[in-house]
């Protein structure tokens, strides 16, 4: 039996889980206060602090590092890669530390996994389906100006896991299906999965697509350009408008969709309008991805935390139900996805990739 440690760092927390093959035997979310994180100028500087906290919590709950077969961390912002599970090498660690595609807490996943695995004979460290998975068709990369190329940055881990779960539920192979997957969380990404490859998807970080609880999505380019040269905002302030302080945060001052739903249901007109607009943009983007698949769609899958929000889901389903059957997979199972992806490597069901 393989024992797998899963590490998923977030901006203010670190999730850990222990799996015995596919059985989750332990899970814990470790919260990090602003005071604890304040001394670290860069996200990558936090790795020693977070690593020690993980070790302490594993020990406190009766787990020994030397008993793990593999350690897998959430993949970060490395250079674009194809979907799969990657062994953590020095080259990979270097790019995670540099933040070659940007700073994000998930960059710590591979770094911490490698350091922990190095202390255990025979144990290897992995990352799997990082957010920079890039399987776009060439035509999907082209924007309206050669200086700007469309990028693939999305919730690859949960989108792929959800599509595989639907395939298992229907007795089929992911590689034989065409599905549109909408991940709806702090960010929203919608991908066209064509026979196992995400051939088109919106950039859910600071690019385009529906606005979300924290991100602005597609906004009028001319107005954005004008704002940038008015001198009222710094580059960092504008970036925060696009990612972190956009979407529901900008309109309503909260990133909690369930609270907005409650206010909308109580009759608040602005909450109703903004939440309906977010659902509208999700439905419109799903329709766009259905056209990418030329109407040959096995299912439309809604996942992520907001898939629990009936106010949003009902509006989306009304817009897209005529394209294909809609299946709801609320929440996300990133920890299980990381463990199962690693288990396929350990069982020689899939080849490990090298970055």
């Amino acid at each position: 039996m393989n024992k797998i440690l899963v590490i998923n760092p977030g901006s203010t927390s670190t999730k850990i889980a222990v799996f015995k093959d596919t059985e989750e035997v332990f899970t814990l979310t470790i919260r990090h206060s602003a005071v604890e994180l304040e001394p670290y100028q860069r996200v990558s500087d936090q790795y020693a602090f977070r690593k020690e906290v993980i070790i302490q919590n594993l020990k406190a709950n009766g787990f020994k590092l030397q008993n793990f077969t593999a350690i897998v961390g959430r993949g970060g912002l490395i250079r674009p890669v194809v979907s799969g599970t990657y062994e953590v090498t020095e080259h990979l660690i270097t790019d995670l530390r540099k933040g070659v595609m940007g700073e994000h807490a998930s960059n710590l996943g591979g770094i911490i996994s490698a350091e922990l695995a190095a202390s255990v004979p025979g144990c290897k460290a992995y990352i799997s389906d990082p957010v920079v998975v890039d399987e776009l068709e060439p035509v999907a990369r082209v924007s309206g100006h050669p200086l700007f190329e469309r990028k693939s940055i999305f919730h690859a881990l949960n989108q792929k896991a959800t599509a595989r779960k639907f395939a298992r539920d229907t007795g089929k192979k992911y590689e034989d299906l065409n599905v549109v997957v909408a991940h709806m969380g702090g960010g929203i990404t919608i991908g066209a999965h064509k026979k196992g490859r995400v051939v088109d998807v919106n950039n859910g970080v600071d690019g385009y697509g529906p606005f979300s609880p924290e991100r602005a999505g597609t906004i009028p380019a001319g107005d954005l350009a004008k704002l940038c040269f008015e001198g009222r905002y710094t580059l960092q302030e504008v970036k925060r408008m696009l990612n972190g302080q956009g979407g529901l945060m900008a309109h309503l001052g909260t990133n909690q969709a369930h609270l907005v739903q409650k206010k909308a249901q109580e009759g608040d007109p602005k909450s109703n309008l903004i939440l309906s607009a977010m659902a509208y943009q999700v439905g419109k983007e799903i329709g766009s991805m259905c056209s990418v698949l030329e109407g040959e769609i096995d299912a439309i899958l809604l996942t992520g935390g907001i898939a629990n929000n009936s106010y949003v889901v009902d509006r989306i389903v009304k817009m897209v139900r005529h394209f294909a059957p809609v299946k709801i997979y609320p929440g996300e199972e990133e920890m299980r996805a990381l463990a199962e992806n690693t288990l396929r490597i350990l069982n020689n069901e899939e080849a490990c990739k090298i970055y």
Side-chain angles (χ1 to χ4, degrees), residues 105-176:
S106 61
N107 291 12
L108 296 169
I111 298 171
I112 295 172
S113 296
E115 292 224 352
L116 294 179
S119 65
V120 182
C123 183
K124 288 190 175 181
Y126 302 95
I127 64 168
S128 187
D129 280 342
V131 295
V132 291
V133 165
D134 187 345
E135 301 169 330
L136 297 187
E137 297 284 2
V139 69
R141 301 182 189 280
V142 182
S143 78
H145 194 284
L147 286 180
F148 306 101
E149 183 178 88
R150 295 179 77 245
K151 294 182 177 67
S152 177
I153 301 178
F154 71 111
H155 302 89
L157 183 64
N158 192 48
Q159 282 212 26
K160 291 270 185 177
T162 301
R164 289 191 180 102
K165 181 172 175 56
F166 170 75
R168 288 195 302 270
D169 290 348
T170 54
K172 299 176 182 178
K173 292 182 178 179
Y174 169 53
E175 292 76 14
D176 294 334

Side-chain angles (χ1 to χ4, degrees), residues 23-40:
E23 180 191 1
E24 184 179 61
V25 297
F26 174 74
T27 185
L28 177 68
T29 298
I30 307 165
R31 305 290 179 185
H32 308 303
S33 69
V35 173
E36 288 176 312
L37 299 179
E38 186 178 9
Y40 308 104

